[in-house]
Amino acid sequence: MLRYLKNDIPASIVVFFVALPLCLGIALASGAPLFSGLIAGIVGGIIVGALSGSQIGVSGPAAGLAAIVLTAIGALGGYENFLVAVVLGGAIQIIFGILKAGIIGYYFPSSVIKGMLTGIGIIIILKQIPHFFGYDTDPEGDFAFFQIDGENTFSEIFNIVNFISPGATMVAFLALGILVLWDSFLTKKAKIFQLIQGPLVAVAVGILFYYLSKDNTIWNISSDHLVSVPIPDTVESFLGQFSFPNFQVIARPEIWITAFTIALVASLETLLCVEATDKLDPQKRVTPTNKELLAQGTGNIISGLIGGLPITQVIVRSSANIQSGGRTKMSAIIHGFLLLISVILIPRLLNMIPLSVLAAILFIVGYKLAKPALFKKMYQLGWKQFVPFVVTVLGIIFTDLLVGIGLGLGVGIAVILLKSYQNSHFLHIEDKSNGKHKIKMTLAEEVTFFNKGAILKELDSLPSNSYLELDVSKTRYLDNDIIEILEEFTVKAFNRNIDIKLISERGVVENPDSYIEFFRLRPKLGEL
């Protein structure tokens, strides 16, 4: 692990710059103390990073939980009461891990996961456009379509015209130029440019620009366009930023309902992110999902005990880590230590970083997730891949992450059911034999109640005075609903003068009297 430090340290710095404003912004969007977002980021980096089985995933406070947190703090009667739900939510996640619930993560269709990555990439770009031009009314980390400032994703962009900050915009374009130059040209010229990451240089230029222009009436950047880390004056005031759960309310039913909601949503977001980061991982390593739930649960317990927000694995930070060359979990752990050290030692320096510079960094992250070539590739794979992909992308852009995933998953399931309906059997009609049409129907390897309509339609459409050869020799699972259809068809076949030959792995049966007895009374055929 240590031999990859030359990759992990530069990557951790990039993740640190991405995570810092998101931790603060998500806390603000959640109606929680600003420091609670930093606590969650630190715990997510150090604790969850150390316990996780993911080598490139990065955890911290999640935008998807912001609305839940905002509502729960008010409903539960204060932040200290809410922290009890966070701790309990972590304990429930550990139970999920012990019960092997992480296996759910393996059942998300590839098209939906790719749609999730692309949708997140697009929404990052759209949400960062206002910050790029110095319009910062909506906090970082608010990724929902309908924003907490009363606007939506697109109306916020249209409002930029009236609120452009010349200084913030100028330094954003400088930072973006540095990042593009670094990424497409300089890193290929010398190893020093691979070791020193472009985002670090962009942030340094941003701090320098702020310092040199602060007395200029046109180009100065006001404090509301800068990172805003709490600055404690003494050790006591620093420690006073930590909050602790009020366990006296643990018996209240609404605490447990909130805890279960946090555990469920945080687990789903984590499993989705795990699937996505595993696809992005150049080494294609597979994260043990149950171990990840145990790590996330432990992280949420610790975060809740010291005043932090709920934690999940986060795709924005994880993808920034991968794109910056992170190779092992050390990059996530180091980013956690960077958060901890910086808020203690250099909060004033952090508060000189323009948010527009961080928006430029996130532009690059978003573009790499949502490259136009991916749309072409998904289209070429056919409509069964393209439709769930597009629905997921649009769902994320116009609602939020979980709703978008749900819509894409729903469409993906509908496609599966449609193909299952179509592929339940193969029909072959031969020429007339002895005055009767010979029709061969071969059932698929697995035939379930989803195939009921297709098979029933085919059987009912068979002409009278025909000959049906029903081949189930390759069928390994035959649902009871299908057996009942075949049973009922024996009566119809007799009335319509249709002869039947049943071909199974046990032999051939001419005009079986009872399919139910045939399949159930013979041991191996009963397993069909």
Side-chain angles (χ1 to χ4, degrees):
M1 191 180 292
L2 295 178
R3 66 193 176 103
Y4 290 118
L5 280 178
K6 66 181 187 296
N7 306 98
D8 291 333
I9 290 176
S12 69
I13 294 171
V14 177
V15 177
F16 162 70
F17 285 129
V18 169
L20 179 64
L22 292 179
C23 288
L24 295 167
I26 291 168
L28 185 61
S30 302
L34 285 182
F35 197 66
S36 66
L38 294 171
I39 292 171
I42 292 165
V43 173
I46 299 172
I47 304 299
V48 179
L51 297 176
S52 172
S54 175
Q55 294 298 312
I56 33 77
V58 183
S59 298
L65 285 167
I68 294 172
V69 174
L70 180 64
T71 303
I73 291 173
L76 299 179
Y79 190 64
E80 287 75 15
N81 294 350
F82 168 73
L83 290 176
V84 179
V86 177
V87 174
L88 293 175
I92 294 170
Q93 280 187 289
I94 289 177
I95 294 171
F96 286 166
I98 293 171
L99 295 176
K100 311 294 184 186
I103 195 172
I104 295 169
Y106 297 125
Y107 290 93
F108 295 111
S110 175
S111 57
V112 174
I113 296 299
K114 289 175 182 175
M116 172 186 131
L117 289 169
T118 304
I120 288 289
I122 293 172
I123 205 71
I124 287 172
I125 294 171
L126 293 174
K127 292 292 187 180
Q128 291 305 315
I129 290 174
H131 297 295
F132 188 89
F133 290 98
Y135 182 44
D136 300 306
T137 57
D138 192 53
E140 292 278 6
D142 184 7
F143 288 157
F145 180 72
F146 295 105
Q147 302 176 167
I148 63 171
D149 66 347
E151 301 290 341
N152 63 51
T153 302
F154 295 103
S155 67
E156 188 87 358
I157 294 173
F158 296 146
N159 287 339
I160 292 172
V161 179
N162 301 317
F163 298 96
I164 291 177
S165 166
T169 305
M170 172 63 76
V171 76
F173 275 109
L174 281 173
L176 188 60
I178 290 169
L179 293 167
V180 172
L181 182 67
W182 220 272
D183 198 43
S184 60
F185 181 73
L186 293 179
T187 52
K188 299 170 185 175
K189 292 296 180 181
K191 286 189 176 180
I192 185 67
F193 296 116
Q194 296 175 10
L195 196 62
I196 301 173
Q197 290 282 312
L200 178 60
V201 178
V203 168
V205 169
I207 293 173
L208 186 63
F209 184 96
Y210 163 75
Y211 184 78
L212 294 176
S213 65
K214 62 181 179 180
D215 296 325
N216 188 295
T217 54
I218 297 175
W219 300 106
N220 71 313
I221 303 174
S222 60
S223 59
D224 54 338
H225 300 319
L226 303 171
V227 170
S228 181
V229 175
I231 302 177
D233 297 324
T234 63
V235 174
E236 289 76 16
S237 62
F238 175 77
L239 295 176
Q241 296 179 100
F242 291 89
S243 304
F244 303 99
N246 174 24
F247 283 109
Q248 292 180 349
V249 299
I250 196 170
R252 286 167 53 183
E254 57 267 34
I255 294 287
W256 285 91
I257 293 171
T258 303
F260 187 80
T261 304
I262 290 170
L264 188 61
V265 175
S267 297
L268 284 173
E269 284 210 23
T270 292
L271 293 174
L272 286 163
C273 185
V274 163
E275 281 292 294
T277 51
D278 284 354
K279 283 191 179 297
L280 292 174
D281 184 6
Q283 298 185 43
K284 302 303 176 188
R285 290 165 289 193
V286 177
T287 300
T289 52
N290 294 314
K291 183 176 181 181
E292 188 64 30
L293 290 179
L294 294 173
Q296 296 290 333
T298 304
N300 273 318
I301 290 173
I302 294 172
S303 182
L305 286 173
I306 58 176
L309 290 173
I311 294 168
T312 74
Q313 193 177 123
V314 187
I315 191 61
V316 179
R317 284 164 238 197
S318 301
S319 57
N321 183 32
I322 296 165
Q323 293 166 13
S324 304
R327 298 289 291 275
T328 75
K329 61 171 64 181
M330 284 304 297
S331 57
I333 296 170
I334 293 169
H335 121 274
F337 278 110
L338 288 175
L339 283 172
L340 176 61
I341 294 167
S342 62
V343 299
I344 295 174
L345 299 181
I346 54 168
R348 285 182 172 81
L349 182 63
L350 294 179
N351 288 346
M352 295 169 68
I353 301 174
L355 290 173
S356 60
V357 170
L358 300 178
I361 295 173
L362 285 166
F363 269 4
I364 302 298
V365 173
Y367 175 76
K368 288 182 177 179
L369 285 173
K371 289 183 177 179
L374 182 59
F375 283 87
K376 181 180 179 182
K377 180 181 177 182
M378 294 302 295
Y379 180 77
Q380 290 172 340
L381 289 174
W383 71 270
K384 295 189 292 294
Q385 294 291 311
F386 187 67
V387 172
F389 169 80
V390 169
V391 169
T392 305
V393 171
L394 295 177
I396 289 172
I397 293 172
F398 288 100
T399 56
D400 58 37
L401 176 64
L402 288 179
V403 173
I405 289 288
L407 291 172
L409 196 57
V411 172
I413 291 170
V415 170
I416 291 170
L417 295 180
L418 177 62
K419 296 311 293 180
S420 177
Y421 176 87
Q422 294 173 342
N423 297 330
S424 59
H425 62 279
F426 305 95
L427 204 64
H428 177 65
I429 301 176
E430 298 181 0
D431 294 333
K432 286 188 178 181
S433 175
N434 297 325
K436 288 191 173 186
H437 281 290
K438 184 179 179 182
I439 299 133
K440 183 176 181 180
M441 179 185 286
T442 304
L443 296 191
E445 191 170 332
E446 292 190 6
V447 189
T448 69
F449 68 93
F450 293 132
N451 313 124
K452 188 175 178 179
I455 293 175
L456 187 59
K457 178 183 175 183
E458 292 289 2
L459 291 174
D460 285 345
S461 66
L462 292 178
S464 298
N465 304 307
S466 58
Y467 182 83
L468 173 64
E469 188 175 285
L470 184 61
D471 189 346
V472 294
S473 59
K474 300 289 177 61
T475 305
R476 291 291 165 266
Y477 176 77
L478 195 62
D479 198 18
N480 186 69
D481 287 41
I482 308 302
I483 297 175
E484 288 183 358
I485 287 175
L486 296 176
E487 181 75 9
E488 292 166 1
F489 182 69
T490 57
V491 178
K492 298 177 184 177
F494 178 79
N495 294 333
R496 290 157 55 191
N497 193 27
I498 298 174
D499 293 324
I500 303 171
K501 180 167 77 172
L502 180 64
I503 303 173
S504 74
E505 61 180 6
R506 283 297 193 87
V508 177
V509 180
E510 296 280 355
N511 291 318
D513 294 327
S514 172
Y515 289 95
I516 293 178
E517 290 185 17
F518 182 80
F519 287 120
R520 289 181 180 168
L521 298 183
R522 302 193 183 197
K524 287 195 174 181
L525 290 173
E527 296 170 6
L528 290 175

